[in-house]
Amino acid sequence: MSFPPVSIRPLIAPFFVLLWSTGFVVARYAMPYSEPATFTALRFFGVLVVMVPLALLARISWPTPRQRFHIAVSGVLFQAVYLYCLWKAIRLGMGAGLVALIVGLQPVLTAVAASLLGERTTLRQWLGLGVGFAGVSLVVWDRMHLDGVPLVGLGLCAVSLVAITTGTLYQKRFCPKFDLRAGSVLQFSASLLVVLPIALLSETRQISWNLPMSGALVWSILVLSIGATSLLFVLLRQGGATQVSSLMYLTPATTAILAWLLFDEPLTPLMVTGMIITALGVASVAGRPPVAAAASPAP
């Protein structure tokens, strides 16, 4: 008896959301024991330790110099700027709920920018983006407060939001397809060159090595930077920037479920309602593929 082949493509999006959502869990584990730039520099170096030998042993075909430049630029936006600013904001006292809400604006910002660049966004998708953001707001509502929020933290969240939005659109426009092994080496090498001077010049670089810190670092390297990021790039190849960015709406809800399971944090009826509304909004955005004029690479 033979079974029909099972396609893994429908599983990529939910698996990506699950992995990506563990980033806030990792931050909770690691942040008390390491400064942001120091941790991200170790994370990027760890990715290179894994990926450089794999790329060399596989004798992959490296991109052209022009493509390498575009891949490096998108990597700096995706990795160095986005992650450092986000972790620094949390380090300065920004609540996870407020951070999630600010970064949760990314799908809307991406849709606006993508429309200006020629990617068609339907009315159904615009409505879905609005419904999705409303759902995210409900998920983080109980944990969102402005008391004592540092202005620098708000500014860092805004920079992080712009960085990941710009990185998404830049990669979709200039380098949508490349060997993931080569891309990892190029993007994380460029990102390391950005965050390492920050760590050397502005941080003590002191690390409290213990099980939570070590586990968070290994997870960040293998699961987040290599696994989740590779899945994100696969999704960008297959869909429009607006569709892919809408998946970020599901991150706060998934993180809330993980926090409930791992840290026994409360999961309120309001949060559950927000999760359902968010899922409906994302389903509306992803239901019909847009005409992605921005998807063709630059000559």
Side-chain angles (χ1 to χ4, degrees), residues 60-64 67-68 70-72 74-75 78 167 170-172 174-187 229-230 232-234 236-237:
I60 61 175
S61 177
W62 291 89
T64 64
Q67 290 174 320
R68 293 179 193 180
H70 290 313
I71 293 171
S74 65
F78 262 127
Y170 189 95
Q171 182 160 315
K172 187 66 179 176
F174 293 105
C175 49
K177 294 183 180 180
F178 52 80
D179 186 291
L180 294 178
R181 294 160 295 186
S184 293
V185 172
L186 293 169
Q187 291 197 336
T229 302
S230 296
L232 175 61
F233 294 163
V234 171
L236 281 173
R237 291 178 184 178

Side-chain angles (χ1 to χ4, degrees), residues 28-239:
R28 175 164 178 169
Y29 275 119
M31 195 52 59
Y33 309 112
S34 178
E35 295 163 295
T38 299
F39 186 88
T40 50
L42 286 173
R43 174 173 172 173
F44 298 160
F45 179 76
V47 174
L48 295 176
V49 169
V50 174
M51 296 306 299
V52 169
L54 289 178
L56 294 177
L57 289 173
R59 298 181 180 179
I60 61 175
S61 177
W62 291 89
T64 64
R66 182 184 179 90
Q67 290 174 320
R68 293 179 193 180
F69 172 78
H70 290 313
I71 293 171
V73 170
S74 65
V76 168
L77 292 169
F78 262 127
Q79 305 297 338
V81 180
Y82 168 69
L83 284 176
Y84 171 73
C85 291
L86 200 65
W87 284 51
K88 182 68 173 180
I90 295 175
R91 178 88 173 185
L92 290 174
M94 291 283 292
L98 185 56
V99 171
L101 187 64
I102 294 174
V103 179
L105 288 169
Q106 188 220 341
V108 177
L109 188 60
T110 300
V112 173
S115 297
L116 295 176
L117 294 174
E119 182 175 290
R120 180 171 171 263
T121 303
T122 66
L123 177 60
R124 174 181 174 178
Q125 289 177 320
W126 282 116
L127 292 174
L129 289 170
V131 170
F133 185 72
V136 170
S137 301
L138 292 178
V139 171
V140 304
W141 187 263
D142 291 338
R143 301 177 186 179
M144 188 175 63
H145 60 85
L146 293 173
D147 298 335
V149 172
L151 291 178
V152 175
L154 288 172
L156 287 169
C157 284
V159 173
S160 183
L161 168 63
V162 173
I164 192 171
T165 303
T166 307
T168 300
L169 294 168
Y170 189 95
Q171 182 160 315
K172 187 66 179 176
R173 174 67 180 89
F174 293 105
C175 49
K177 294 183 180 180
F178 52 80
D179 186 291
L180 294 178
R181 294 160 295 186
S184 293
V185 172
L186 293 169
Q187 291 197 336
F188 286 100
S189 295
S191 297
L192 181 60
L193 292 176
V194 172
V195 299
L196 185 58
I198 299 175
L200 293 175
L201 297 175
S202 65
E203 296 184 352
T204 65
R205 300 175 302 284
Q206 294 181 348
I207 301 172
S208 299
W209 289 106
N210 50 38
L211 185 59
M213 170 63 193
S214 301
L217 182 60
V218 172
W219 185 272
S220 295
I221 293 170
L222 299 178
V223 177
L224 291 171
S225 290
I226 296 178
T229 302
S230 296
L231 291 178
L232 175 61
F233 294 163
V234 171
L235 289 169
L236 281 173
R237 291 178 184 178
Q238 297 177 353

Side-chain angles (χ1 to χ4, degrees), residues 38 111 197 276 282 296-297:
T38 299
I276 296 172
V282 172
S296 58

